[in-house]
Amino acid sequence: MRLACLYVPDFPLAALLRCYPELRESAVAVSEGSGPRAKLLAVSPAAARRGVRGALSVAQAMAIDADLVVRTVSSDMRRAAQAALCDVAASFSPRIEDSGDGIAYVDLEGLGSLFESESQLATAMAQRTVQLGIDAQVGVAGSKVAAWLAARQSGGVAVIPKGEEWSFLVPVPVSLLAPSPNLAATLQRWGIHTIGELAALPIHAVGTRLGPEGVLLVRRARGEDDVPLLPRPLPMNFEESVDLDYGVDNLEPFLFVLRGLLDRLTARLGLRGFLCGDLRLSLRLAGRGRDERTVTVTAPSNDVKALLMLVRLQLEAHPAIAAIEALRVVALPEKLRAAQLDLFRPNGPAPAQLAVTLARLTAICGADRVGEPIVADSHRPEAYGVKSFEAVTRLSGYAIRETTLTANRFIASRLCPCLRAIRPPQSIDVFCQRDHPDFIRGPGFAGRVVHAAGPWRLQGDWWNEGAYARDYYDVQLSDGGVYRVYREAIDRRWFVEGTYD
Amino acid sequence: MRASTSHAAALRLTDLALPGRVYLGSAAPELPRRLPCGIAAIDTLLGGGWPQGRISELNGPPSSGKTALALALLAATSRRGEVVACVDLADALHPASMAAAGADLHSVLWVRPPSPRDGLRCTELILQAGGFAAVVLDLGQQLPHRLRLHTWPRLLHAAEQSHTAVVVVAAQPVAGSCAIISVQMRPRQTLWQHGLWPLFDGFESVATVERSKLGKPGQRTLLQVRSDPTGDGRWETGDDDLAQHPSVEADVCR
């Protein structure tokens, strides 16, 4: 069995730099808490060059380097970095083990046909982690502990050929096995400095003197795993969060921060072969308030620009009531579905682009004024309906009404008089002769009735409060226009419903 | 000099087995593709249909048939499976009329902007999205005032980029020189079914090409906009039978 270990040194620092890539060249330290007495967990190479070491307090570190940037890393940031590492592993093999704190193991069984060599495979893994903003080291060996030691020892990519684990491990310092301080001091006293020296010790004698911890250490020194690889399916958890230094009450800086989160999320989704569906935003507001909202993504996409525009439009329509201090984004993964295009049908708008356009149109006009017109299921003449424009999903290949389209192609075109609706129907003055309209004066038009057809009585909805009873007429006025007018049967008032055009 | 040079270049191309026409200074003007509306008389009048990637205008007073013509374009295009849009500034679209015209409503995006300025912005957004075969911008009877000078050129540029046929329906021409063709509808007579119970049956209108950058203006045709006389779902196309209408016979372009 061949295994690869993805190992991220100084994991808290890596998690921080993944969220704040602009700090990569700066002197940065990660503290375990806030306040001057908090201990440093990890320091960047730039900080180390200035003399800052781990385990110092923040105050001590600041005394050494006043320009040091000290940050804390939230559990959400660590979790997201670990999830990103596992996403990289899962992009190579479904059999992976998430060991936490910047370590993941991958079963390399069956990957030989995809890569020329294990070295090439390990290099590809390392490159993919860099794409997600994590600098991971990769080790390949026949056991978990050997792969882990190889990754820690290498500083980049290391491949231990099959059967040569022992020769690789012999000169490795025993400190890489991370023994407890007491055990490390004992081994130091005994003069045990390398893994080879430790592995040569008789395990029963070590157990008598050092207890179970010593036995475990010797077994690991011999390249024996404590437990075998335990592959588990990865949860579909695509979540990124960030704590802001100060409350943001302006849209542009907020979107700037959000862009980074979406970049990371879409990169992870892309690695797993998913598209970004609906976005759930959880905003922590100044004054301990929270704002939870869902941004609907009609056409799943990994286009950050489009996703950002959808969030922008929603925030413009419904802004947060206070400054935003922290942000968490959860993306719902959607399977990538290939759209089967029709040879004889033209391509429509790109679904992602159309979804953004619909959102922008909705922001300008209102939700009830953008969509697909529908003929209302009602006898009321002015009834109409609008529903969401489903061409987005249709173009995405979710449902294709081929039968309808094919049938429609053979219907001939026609010119028929169309009604231009006047919404709502406008009140008009009608002068009648023998109970028939003779002269009409309405908003923007007036004239003597030249021709008239009607009346015909329409009544309905008598079973509810919207009951109506009307006498309809089609009238042509002396100005040339043909109008549809009606008279309410109850109050005898006249209205114009539209113009034939 | 230019003629001789182009002639020599053409000969050279022929020698290379690549015969073709040679243009000096600029490429040959590319004629826009056409989007037929399915009404034979109108498609003939327009030289094959409404120009794609351009702005066209359709003007006329009330009850002249301009809405019927615009809906015929949307109906024919949507029936071919293409996506169309109607930017309805007047909020006058009657879905039942559109369905009666034969449109596939699932392929129609209906947008009702609150103001003329928003209407033009919405039209531009739709054009920028791409993929729409036709966009009808219905301005209604009220002319949009105080539009910026660059509004129509921007719309034209967006239409060119998306290869969308943009038809502006208004009472009067509004797009100026940005419109490649301008069709004026004039009502001729109203048709009524006489009898004991008279019914409105439709109207006859004359469609005239008032202005065109693609051909000679002034051509016109007679259109009958009528309700379905048969009631069996098979519709008559607009008929410009010259023999029945000698007054417009001379001007009809076949």
Side-chain angles (χ1 to χ4, degrees):
Chain A
M1 188 179 203
R2 300 290 289 168
L3 295 171
C5 174
L6 300 175
Y7 170 72
V8 183
D10 291 332
F11 183 61
L13 180 67
L16 177 77
L17 294 180
R18 179 173 173 269
C19 296
Y20 300 97
E22 67 275 10
L23 296 178
R24 281 187 180 277
E25 304 303 324
S26 309
V28 188
V30 177
S31 67
E32 61 183 5
S34 56
R37 292 186 180 180
K39 295 290 183 187
L40 297 186
L41 295 174
V43 296
S44 68
R49 281 196 295 273
R50 297 181 188 183
V52 180
R53 297 283 180 268
L56 293 178
S57 68
V58 172
Q60 289 169 328
M62 294 299 287
I64 295 171
D65 182 3
D67 297 330
L68 183 71
V69 179
V70 181
R71 296 281 178 92
T72 57
V73 176
S74 66
S75 57
D76 287 342
M77 288 164 71
R78 283 175 179 242
R79 204 180 308 127
Q82 181 65 25
L85 190 69
C86 291
D87 287 334
V88 172
S91 69
F92 284 91
S93 168
R95 286 173 54 82
I96 65 165
E97 179 184 328
D98 177 9
S99 295
D101 280 340
I103 300 172
Y105 294 100
V106 187
D107 184 358
L108 302 185
E109 195 69 39
L111 294 180
S113 57
L114 298 177
F115 296 89
E116 289 181 3
S117 64
E118 289 182 336
S119 175
Q120 194 185 50
L121 170 61
T123 306
M125 284 182 173
Q127 286 173 346
R128 211 166 279 185
T129 56
V130 171
Q131 287 174 9
L132 291 193
I134 306 171
D135 293 329
Q137 299 169 4
V138 183
V140 177
S143 65
K144 283 167 63 178
V145 67
W148 176 63
L149 285 170
R152 289 198 67 181
Q153 172 77 356
S154 66
V157 172
V159 177
I160 305 177
K162 202 171 185 178
E164 295 181 16
E165 280 85 358
W166 177 244
S167 58
F168 175 83
L169 293 176
V170 165
V172 175
V174 76
S175 60
L176 282 188
L177 286 173
S180 64
N182 289 338
L183 202 56
T186 305
L187 293 175
Q188 183 75 22
R189 269 201 318 276
W190 290 0
I192 304 293
H193 301 293
T194 64
I195 286 180
E197 293 166 352
L198 179 62
L201 295 176
I203 196 163
H204 293 294
V206 171
T208 306
R209 288 165 178 80
L210 301 180
E213 189 187 355
V215 173
L216 199 63
L217 201 66
V218 173
R219 291 188 61 185
R220 297 181 75 183
R222 292 175 179 177
E224 299 172 11
D225 290 336
D226 311 333
V227 287
L229 184 78
L230 298 173
R232 291 192 184 91
L234 274 184
M236 295 289 182
N237 182 22
F238 295 94
E239 178 181 328
E240 294 285 342
S241 62
V242 68
D243 291 331
L244 304 177
D245 293 338
Y246 50 88
V248 172
D249 55 1
N250 203 337
L251 192 57
E252 291 302 330
F254 172 77
L255 291 176
F256 180 79
V257 174
L258 182 65
R259 186 185 188 91
L261 268 67
L262 290 178
D263 276 333
R264 297 196 287 275
L265 270 176
T266 51
R268 287 177 53 193
L269 286 163
L271 270 186
R272 300 277 298 276
F274 291 116
L275 295 176
C276 182
D278 291 353
L279 289 169
R280 287 184 188 154
L281 299 186
S282 178
L283 314 175
R284 195 182 73 213
L285 306 178
R288 296 186 177 275
R290 294 200 78 83
D291 185 345
E292 306 277 346
R293 58 180 72 201
T294 301
V295 179
T296 306
V297 181
T298 318
S301 163
N302 280 346
D303 182 5
V304 174
K305 202 174 167 184
L307 297 174
L308 213 55
M309 181 56 71
L310 293 175
V311 176
R312 171 195 281 271
L313 290 170
Q314 202 199 59
L315 284 171
E316 282 177 347
H318 308 286
I321 56 172
I324 299 165
E325 292 182 337
L327 163 67
R328 176 184 295 169
V329 184
V330 179
L332 298 184
E334 292 277 353
K335 283 276 186 190
L336 176 63
R337 301 186 188 198
Q340 178 65 55
L341 299 179
D342 192 337
L343 279 175
F344 306 103
R345 212 177 92 199
N347 293 337
Q353 182 66 37
L354 181 58
V356 173
T357 303
L358 289 177
R360 298 179 80 166
L361 292 174
T362 304
I364 294 173
C365 307
D368 57 336
R369 298 178 72 87
V370 175
E372 171 191 324
I374 53 175
V375 180
D377 183 16
S378 168
H379 291 290
R380 189 181 284 271
E382 72 269 21
Y384 71 100
V386 181
K387 69 175 185 179
S388 61
F389 192 53
E390 290 180 353
V392 180
T393 51
R394 185 160 53 85
L395 293 167
S396 304
Y398 283 78
I400 296 177
R401 296 167 295 107
E402 284 301 334
T403 312
T404 313
L405 287 173
T406 307
N408 281 343
R409 282 175 187 154
F410 301 103
I411 298 176
S413 294
R414 66 172 302 234
L415 275 178
C416 61
C418 299
L419 191 71
R420 288 182 67 86
I422 296 174
R423 295 191 179 99
Q426 298 287 309
S427 178
I428 54 175
D429 297 325
V430 178
F431 301 91
C432 294
Q433 267 193 0
R434 297 178 185 173
D435 208 28
H436 267 62
D438 182 55
F439 187 89
I440 293 178
R441 185 170 58 215
F445 66 94
R448 184 163 296 281
V449 175
V450 180
H451 277 103
W456 60 92
R457 170 68 59 91
L458 279 183
Q459 55 185 3
D461 286 349
W462 44 265
W463 51 88
N464 60 34
E465 293 178 352
Y468 62 90
R470 301 167 181 172
D471 289 330
Y472 271 86
Y473 292 85
D474 286 337
V475 294
Q476 181 186 8
L477 301 188
S478 51
D479 66 357
V482 183
Y483 300 88
R484 179 188 283 183
V485 299
Y486 66 86
R487 179 173 55 188
E488 292 282 4
I490 299 172
D491 57 10
R492 314 287 291 174
R493 290 174 62 199
W494 287 86
F495 293 89
V496 58
E497 193 175 277
T499 317
Y500 287 104
D501 191 20
Chain B
M1 177 64 187
R2 290 169 67 90
S4 62
T5 308
S6 65
H7 182 67
L11 286 177
R12 179 67 179 147
L13 280 175
T14 308
D15 292 343
L16 294 170
L18 296 168
R21 298 187 65 184
V22 177
Y23 299 92
L24 291 179
S26 63
E30 188 179 347
L31 291 175
R33 291 196 299 174
R34 305 307 181 104
L35 190 67
C37 67
I39 309 297
I42 286 296
D43 287 341
T44 306
L45 183 76
L46 297 174
W50 295 95
Q52 287 183 299
R54 300 287 192 277
I55 295 176
S56 309
E57 286 194 290
L58 184 54
N59 311 120
S63 303
S64 60
K66 60 182 185 301
T67 306
L69 210 52
L71 292 192
L73 170 67
L74 295 180
T77 313
S78 65
R79 278 202 309 273
R80 287 193 292 269
E82 300 188 74
V83 183
V84 297
C86 178
V87 181
D88 187 11
L89 263 168
D91 193 7
L93 181 70
H94 193 237
S97 294
M98 186 174 238
D104 176 12
L105 296 184
H106 296 295
S107 298
V108 179
L109 174 62
W110 183 23
V111 182
R112 293 178 289 165
S115 69
R117 197 170 172 180
D118 289 331
L120 292 165
R121 177 71 186 131
C122 289
T123 309
E124 193 177 353
L125 283 173
I126 291 169
L127 293 174
Q128 284 171 352
F132 284 83
V135 174
V136 168
L137 173 58
D138 189 347
L139 298 176
Q141 294 301 316
Q142 305 294 326
L143 291 180
H145 295 292
R146 300 177 64 183
L147 289 177
R148 293 180 182 173
L149 287 175
H150 63 254
T151 300
W152 294 108
R154 278 182 59 168
L155 217 55
L156 175 60
H157 179 71
E160 285 173 347
Q161 295 296 312
S162 61
H163 303 288
T164 304
V166 179
V167 179
V168 181
V169 180
Q172 295 171 21
V174 289
S177 61
C178 289
I180 194 169
I181 198 164
S182 178
V183 176
Q184 179 75 35
M185 301 290 289
R186 290 190 181 85
R188 191 164 178 270
Q189 65 169 329
T190 311
L191 306 174
W192 299 86
Q193 289 184 16
H194 297 288
L196 185 63
W197 198 263
L199 290 173
F200 173 63
D201 193 33
F203 37 79
E204 283 183 355
S205 296
V206 178
T208 309
V209 178
E210 290 286 340
R211 207 166 55 79
S212 173
K213 295 181 182 177
L214 300 172
K216 188 180 171 186
Q219 300 160 348
R220 52 183 176 168
T221 188
L222 185 73
L223 295 172
Q224 279 193 347
V225 182
R226 299 191 66 168
S227 303
D228 179 18
T230 57
D232 62 356
R234 290 186 293 108
W235 308 105
E236 287 183 3
T237 58
D239 183 15
D240 51 349
D241 189 351
L242 303 183
Q244 295 179 12
H245 305 285
S247 61
V248 294
E249 178 182 2
D251 300 317
V252 171
C253 173
R254 287 280 187 181

